[in-house]
Amino acid sequence: MSQESDRTLSDSAVFLPVIALPPEFETFYPKTKAIVDQRLMDWTPLTIAREMSVLAARTALDADLKVLLLHQKTELEEDTEPEPNDLHSIGIVATIVQPYDPEDGTLRIAIETSDRAIVAKCTKTDGYLQAAVQIVTELTGVADAAKSLIKEAKSSFRSYAKAHPKQILPDVEKYVRDIEEPGILADNIARFGDFPAAKRQEILEELNPIKRLNFVIALLEADLDLLDLKEEIHNEVRESVQKTHREFYLQEQMKAIQRELGRDEEVDEIDDLREQVKNAGMTEDAEKKALKEIDRLAQIPPMSAESGVIRNYVDWLLAVPWKDKTENTIEIDQAEKILDEDHYGLEKPKSNVLEYLAVLKLVEQVKGPILCLVGPPGVGKTSLGKSIARATGRKFVRMSLGGVRDEAEIRGHRRTYIGAIPGRIIQGLRDVQTKNPLFLLDEIDKLSSDWRGDPSSALLEVLDPEQNETFRDHYLDVEFDLSDVMFVTTANTRLTIPAALEDRMEVIELPGYTDFEKHKIATFHPNGLIPKQLSSHGLKEDNITFADSAIFDIINKYTREAGVRSLERSITTVCRKIAKQIVSEDSPDLNIDITSLNLNDFLGPAKFTRTKAQEHDEVGVSTGMVYTQVGGDIVSVEATIMPGEGKLDMTGQLQEVMRESVQTAVAYLRSRADDFDISKEIFEKFDIHIHVPEGAVPKDGPSAGITLATAILSAITGKKVRKDIAMTGEITLRGHVLPIGGLKEKALAAYRNGIVDIIMPDENEKDLADVPSEIRDNITWHQVSDITQVIELAFLNESDEHDGIAPTSDDVALQNTDVIGQTGD
């Protein structure tokens, strides 16, 4: 839909493409010349960058049309295209004579102006502005009636040219002197004069040549009067001091100005700043630069803009902790106690942290790898950083890097920019007033970059122990030693951490909590979630009791996470409802037991359901185990065959790696068809279809290889697969079983679903130590190295069929309760 300005379109109107110019851009006038490379030319160069105007110019060139130059009424936001109502109604018609396309999205042209034009109608269509204009015919032949006015204008311009010799060339003055028409004379004086944008537009819009020339003369006289006033002031100042010595002259002038402005007390303030700089403990270069800036400050009037910029810079130099440190107190026993108080579980990460602190205690220097805590949301990465700061006696600074895309966030802006400040590294040190805090760079995997720079590249210097002792912030522009700062970073995944950054860090994985660890965090841990929420909601321990089964139901049916944030929110919801009930009934001694039976009354229907184990032994169905960011789970892999052409179909949103596992499993079975008594016609005259349920969820990874092979072989041979056994392992074309990751989480998921027989690669035996002993001892582990071993374990003989039903999640929850009760700390 086009947008139009309100004017009546006359019959004699001409349609022209519009090039919109910013309000402060130079103003063009009819049939005027321009100065190009110190020469007077009939054409003017013009570079067009705005997409709409470029399109208008190209349209004019293609259609052999002239263009209309219109100025905007006001400055628009960056990247905002002007609308018809944003432009003035009178502009200049011009011819494009020398177009050049640099192929960078802009267009360079040379234009020759011809006439004024009044916009009757302006339309935005096809991506550019087009105007219907009335060409204004200049009134000529009035030179005789305006001789005295023309003479006065030439005289004023001659004086103006003498006052601005760099702006007005001799050729320009000669060219203007030969013009006799008042309108053309006014336009050329306006073209070469330095007048405000609003005045230039007024000249353009004045159609009467006599009035236009009068207006230009008034502008020239006003400029000359201003120059005379400046000269008079300059002469008065120059005569007030001796001319024999320049330095003495400047000193006297400064003193005279200071006396007039009442700045006597500012001398004391300058001396105080010098004293602060000398006592700040700055480096030699920083102190030298600060004193130099203070000397400049002393010579500049306080009301000037430069005075504020210099004072702000000096204040920042003084605010940075150049020598202030906190005393590091690394006691391994105390650090271990603090970590155990603040975090349950996470034994491996805490052990790595303690090892790192032990090295720091021995070498008494931070230089070394930067710690990077990697794990899913909510597992305690940020709070672990705070605990490390508490254990080492350091102050804590946190900087979130999520979404940061400007390098200046790290290194600051240069002082040439208005409102420039140091980067957030220097700001953080200023806030804690110590040069050796623990600096946590949160969410380092979520850094971005754009045309303003790449902040990850700026962090390379910050996180490199060999470079950060000479860190240079763009704003301060002096070296600052960051080698005493202990940097710790966090991330949700290693995949999006820039490789150069990851190379500078020691990665510590935080894999997430198991259901049993979450249960203990909620109850037994000294700073457990339930005691903490009871306290924050004003409840007593007698007011509410959580049954173990209820806690497991909250974990399994109302949350799906690796951390405990949602678990804490669910407990908070229950506490709020209990608090409301106590207040409503005015019964402070109220006691409510939260069990699986009444949990729905407080949290509503269950939000999630766990995958249940198969209830019967079936053909073509095997049970696998998966690991995600929110923990482990089991999954049923289904396979079936049907008459066809030997096609292989895969459904259930299987991603590239998992699809390759399917192809590998089928290739292995085809190559060993004789060993498994499989007719070769099966692969030629029958189609094989593989499906993994929950088709809306993408699935990937090679660890389902043996599960896929077992399901396919079962479907082909008609043999049933045991319902009470789960498996995980990558398969090769030769049938070897390769190791996988996430064994702990996968085993817990199987146990939670009542499966106590697990097939695993024998190379994963080392990972059994990560599985809690109360679970590990109740599972039968089958370690295999070849797919034939898997088939022997997973397939049933007809006499061995299981007629019972696999235990449900509720049954396992009761088992879990028993285990927790027996092993709780």
Side-chain angles (χ1 to χ4, degrees):
M1 181 179 294
S2 66
Q3 301 180 27
E4 302 177 352
S5 60
D6 298 325
R7 268 187 188 275
T8 304
L9 180 61
S10 65
D11 295 337
S12 58
V14 178
F15 288 89
L16 297 175
V18 175
I19 295 178
L21 304 174
E24 296 297 329
F25 200 80
E26 66 176 307
T27 305
F28 299 94
Y29 297 91
K31 301 174 183 176
T32 54
K33 296 182 180 293
I35 300 173
V36 181
D37 295 332
Q38 300 296 310
R39 293 183 298 170
L40 206 57
M41 308 296 290
D42 292 325
W43 49 268
T44 304
L46 179 63
T47 300
I48 309 172
R50 185 177 282 153
E51 182 178 355
M52 178 185 291
S53 297
V54 171
L55 186 57
R58 293 186 189 281
T59 303
L61 288 169
D62 294 340
D64 197 21
L65 295 174
K66 295 184 178 182
V67 294
L68 179 66
L69 306 177
L70 287 178
H71 279 77
Q72 298 166 195
K73 297 176 182 177
T74 59
E75 195 71 42
L76 300 177
E77 292 284 339
E78 187 177 356
D79 299 329
T80 301
E81 297 287 357
E83 303 295 334
N85 290 331
D86 295 329
L87 305 177
H88 286 288
S89 58
I90 295 181
I92 292 295
V93 177
T95 302
I96 300 175
V97 294
Q98 293 181 24
Y100 170 68
D101 187 0
E103 298 183 356
D104 60 357
T106 65
L107 186 63
R108 299 176 188 174
I109 59 175
I111 58 171
E112 290 183 359
T113 58
S114 57
D115 304 286
R116 282 178 172 80
I118 301 174
V119 178
K121 178 179 180 181
C122 188
T123 303
K124 183 179 179 182
T125 181
D126 295 333
Y128 67 96
L129 294 175
Q130 187 181 45
V133 300
Q134 184 87 37
I135 303 299
V136 177
T137 302
E138 182 72 22
L139 180 63
T140 58
V142 294
D144 293 338
K147 281 186 177 180
S148 61
L149 192 63
I150 293 173
K151 184 177 180 181
E152 182 182 357
K154 291 181 178 180
S155 175
S156 297
F157 184 72
R158 187 163 51 251
S159 300
Y160 182 88
K162 289 180 181 179
H164 301 83
K166 293 183 179 180
Q167 178 185 339
I168 309 298
L169 300 179
D171 289 345
V172 173
E173 183 182 353
K174 180 180 179 181
Y175 167 69
V176 171
R177 188 170 63 240
D178 295 335
I179 300 174
E180 295 300 332
E181 286 296 329
I184 299 175
L185 179 61
D187 287 343
N188 277 277
I189 292 175
R191 180 72 175 86
F192 297 110
D194 185 16
F195 303 136
K199 299 299 182 183
R200 298 199 304 266
Q201 185 65 30
E202 286 186 47
I203 296 172
L204 180 64
E205 293 181 356
E206 179 55 65
L207 304 182
N208 185 299
I210 303 299
K211 292 182 179 180
R212 191 189 314 150
L213 188 56
N214 270 314
F215 185 66
V216 169
I217 291 173
L219 292 177
L220 289 173
E221 294 297 335
D223 189 273
L224 292 172
D225 290 342
L226 182 61
L227 288 175
D228 290 339
L229 181 60
K230 288 182 179 179
E231 182 65 19
E232 183 180 349
I233 294 173
H234 177 70
N235 291 333
E236 289 178 358
V237 174
R238 184 175 56 190
E239 292 172 0
S240 68
V241 295
Q242 295 183 8
K243 301 177 183 179
T244 57
H245 198 287
R246 173 176 173 79
E247 182 179 354
F248 179 74
Y249 162 73
L250 294 175
Q251 290 289 346
E252 287 299 315
Q253 186 180 45
M254 183 181 67
K255 290 178 181 179
I257 294 174
Q258 287 179 344
R259 283 195 300 270
E260 291 293 327
L261 298 177
R263 293 183 56 193
D264 293 341
E265 67 279 0
E266 292 182 13
V267 176
D268 296 334
E269 185 179 358
I270 296 296
D271 292 339
D272 184 53
L273 286 176
R274 289 194 179 98
E275 190 66 25
Q276 290 183 47
V277 167
K278 292 177 180 178
N279 296 330
M282 298 181 183
T283 62
E284 183 179 347
D285 289 342
E287 182 175 331
K288 182 178 179 181
K289 189 160 190 173
L291 292 174
K292 181 179 179 181
E293 292 297 324
I294 292 174
D295 290 340
R296 289 184 59 205
L297 182 65
Q299 301 176 22
I300 297 177
M303 301 305 294
S304 69
E306 183 69 12
S307 174
V309 172
I310 295 175
R311 180 56 191 265
N312 193 45
Y313 175 72
V314 173
D315 287 344
W316 267 108
L317 283 175
L318 292 172
V320 175
W322 294 94
K323 62 179 181 179
D324 297 329
K325 289 185 179 182
T326 55
E327 184 179 353
N328 293 336
T329 55
I330 300 178
E331 297 295 338
I332 297 301
D333 293 341
Q334 182 66 17
E336 184 175 8
K337 181 180 178 181
I338 291 174
L339 292 176
D340 288 338
E341 285 178 358
D342 294 347
H343 298 272
Y344 178 81
L346 303 178
E347 299 304 329
K348 267 193 171 181
K350 288 194 291 189
S351 176
N352 290 342
V353 169
L354 290 173
E355 293 167 2
Y356 182 77
L357 296 181
V359 174
L360 290 184
K361 183 175 178 64
L362 291 176
V363 299
E364 298 182 353
Q365 181 64 29
V366 179
K367 280 190 176 183
I370 309 299
L371 293 182
C372 180
L373 308 176
V374 177
V379 297
K381 300 184 295 296
T382 302
S383 59
L384 186 58
K386 292 181 180 178
S387 299
I388 297 173
R390 193 156 71 94
T392 56
R394 294 171 181 262
K395 291 187 177 181
F396 179 77
V397 188
R398 175 182 173 273
M399 174 182 174
S400 178
L401 297 176
V404 171
R405 62 183 63 209
D406 188 353
E407 180 210 4
E409 292 280 345
I410 309 298
R411 281 189 175 152
H413 297 85
R414 301 189 185 277
R415 280 199 292 156
T416 51
Y417 294 98
I418 297 175
I421 57 174
R424 291 169 63 182
I425 300 292
I426 296 297
Q427 290 182 45
L429 297 178
R430 184 277 312 266
D431 292 341
V432 295
Q433 281 300 297
T434 176
K435 65 178 299 184
N436 65 334
L438 186 143
F439 210 118
L440 183 76
L441 300 174
D442 217 356
E443 312 290 358
I444 198 170
D445 57 326
K446 297 177 179 60
L447 283 170
S448 304
S449 61
D450 61 9
W451 56 271
R452 288 170 290 191
D454 183 1
S456 65
S457 298
L459 281 175
L460 294 178
E461 179 185 7
V462 174
L463 298 181
D464 192 332
E466 301 301 324
Q467 299 181 39
N468 60 14
E469 62 183 7
T470 57
F471 173 73
R472 185 180 289 268
D473 184 273
H474 285 162
Y475 180 81
L476 298 183
D477 198 26
V478 292
E479 292 181 355
F480 187 87
D481 186 2
L482 294 179
S483 62
D484 289 326
V485 180
M486 182 177 181
F487 286 102
V488 177
T489 66
T490 72
N492 292 131
T493 175
R494 300 176 65 169
L495 298 178
T496 53
I497 300 177
L501 272 183
E502 186 178 359
D503 183 60
R504 285 164 167 77
M505 301 184 293
E506 180 177 336
V507 177
I508 298 178
E509 299 277 358
L510 278 69
Y513 299 109
T514 66
D515 291 356
F516 309 103
E517 288 172 337
K518 291 179 183 178
H519 177 278
K520 290 186 178 181
I521 290 172
T523 55
F524 296 121
H525 193 238
N527 299 320
L529 302 180
I530 293 177
K532 186 172 79 171
Q533 292 306 320
L534 288 177
S535 175
S536 63
H537 286 79
L539 299 175
K540 297 179 293 186
E541 291 185 5
D542 297 337
N543 291 136
I544 181 171
T545 304
F546 283 87
D548 288 334
S549 59
I551 296 175
F552 277 109
D553 276 352
I554 295 176
I555 294 170
N556 293 328
K557 298 180 180 180
Y558 292 90
T559 67
R560 181 163 288 180
E561 59 176 349
V564 292
R565 285 179 183 160
S566 295
L567 174 60
E568 185 171 16
R569 281 194 292 267
S570 298
I571 294 172
T572 300
T573 301
V574 174
C575 290
R576 281 202 308 267
K577 293 183 181 296
I578 299 297
K580 177 185 175 185
Q581 189 172 345
I582 290 175
V583 174
S584 301
E585 299 178 4
D586 193 20
S587 54
D589 296 328
L590 180 69
N591 179 265
I592 295 179
D593 293 328
I594 307 299
T595 66
S596 296
L597 299 177
N598 65 356
L599 190 59
N600 288 5
D601 299 336
F602 297 93
L603 297 179
K607 298 178 181 178
F608 305 104
T609 59
R610 294 282 188 175
T611 305
K612 293 185 178 181
Q614 298 295 319
E615 297 184 354
H616 303 285
D617 302 323
E618 296 186 41
V619 174
V621 180
S622 58
T623 303
M625 298 177 290
V626 297
Y627 170 58
T628 68
Q629 289 279 22
V630 297
D633 206 349
I634 63 171
V635 63
S636 297
V637 175
E638 302 175 351
T640 187
I641 63 172
M642 64 206 81
E645 301 174 351
K647 293 191 301 182
L648 178 62
D649 295 322
M650 293 171 276
T651 56
Q653 277 219 60
L654 308 189
Q655 303 302 302
E656 186 64 27
V657 176
M658 195 167 183
R659 297 173 74 90
E660 290 177 356
S661 294
V662 175
Q663 295 169 347
T664 302
V666 172
Y668 169 74
L669 294 176
R670 291 187 68 174
S671 67
R672 299 287 300 277
D674 294 338
D675 296 340
F676 295 115
D677 295 328
I678 302 174
S679 171
K680 294 185 179 180
E681 293 184 353
I682 289 290
F683 299 102
E684 299 173 356
K685 298 183 179 180
F686 287 82
D687 292 342
I688 301 175
H689 188 146
I690 304 296
H691 177 70
V692 182
E694 297 190 33
V697 180
K699 307 166 188 72
D700 204 2
S703 64
I706 63 174
T707 313
L708 292 164
T710 302
I712 296 170
L713 184 59
S714 172
I716 293 174
T717 61
K719 293 183 179 180
K720 293 183 179 180
V721 180
R722 289 172 54 186
K723 67 178 183 296
D724 61 346
I725 195 166
M727 60 192 75
T728 181
E730 181 180 353
I731 187 176
T732 69
L733 286 173
R734 295 174 295 170
H736 295 166
V737 180
L738 302 183
I740 46 81
L743 180 64
K744 171 186 173 182
E745 289 77 10
K746 293 177 179 179
L748 292 174
Y751 185 80
R752 184 175 60 241
N753 287 278
I755 298 178
V756 293
D757 279 84
I758 293 179
I759 300 175
M760 55 170 277
D762 57 5
E763 292 185 38
N764 282 109
E765 182 179 5
K766 63 183 185 302
D767 298 321
L768 291 178
D770 296 336
V771 181
S773 59
E774 59 268 27
I775 308 301
R776 183 176 64 243
D777 296 340
N778 289 307
I779 292 178
T780 301
W781 304 92
H782 303 281
Q783 300 176 32
V784 299
S785 59
D786 192 85
I787 188 65
T788 55
Q789 298 171 275
V790 177
I791 294 169
E792 290 176 4
L793 292 166
F795 279 11
L796 283 175
N797 297 320
E798 294 184 2
S799 59
D800 296 332
E801 289 192 13
H802 292 68
D803 297 324
I805 297 176
T808 65
S809 297
D810 294 332
D811 297 330
V812 176
L814 295 176
Q815 298 175 23
N816 296 343
T817 302
D818 295 338
V819 171
I820 293 295
Q822 296 166 9
T823 62
D825 297 333

